[in-house]
Amino acid sequence: MPALLIIAIIVGVVFLILGGVVATLKFLLWIGIVLVILAVIGWLLRSIRGRKA
């Protein structure tokens, strides 16, 4: 899995946690959800296509 997708997943999870804990920063919850969904979609596309060296 490319480093960019790993970073996107980590950032997304951090935003999800922050969004759930801090009520005033609820928009981070949605940003986290979007980042995690995009990272999972990217990972799935990469897995389906397979690695092309």
Side-chain angles (χ1 to χ4, degrees), residues 10-46:
I10 291 171
V11 170
V13 170
V14 169
F15 281 169
L16 283 172
I17 292 169
L18 287 175
V21 172
V22 183
T24 59
L25 299 177
K26 276 291 192 190
F27 71 95
L28 289 179
L29 179 67
W30 297 109
I31 294 173
I33 290 171
V34 169
L35 283 174
V36 168
I37 290 172
L38 289 175
V40 168
I41 290 172
W43 176 74
L44 285 173
L45 287 175
R46 192 163 183 83

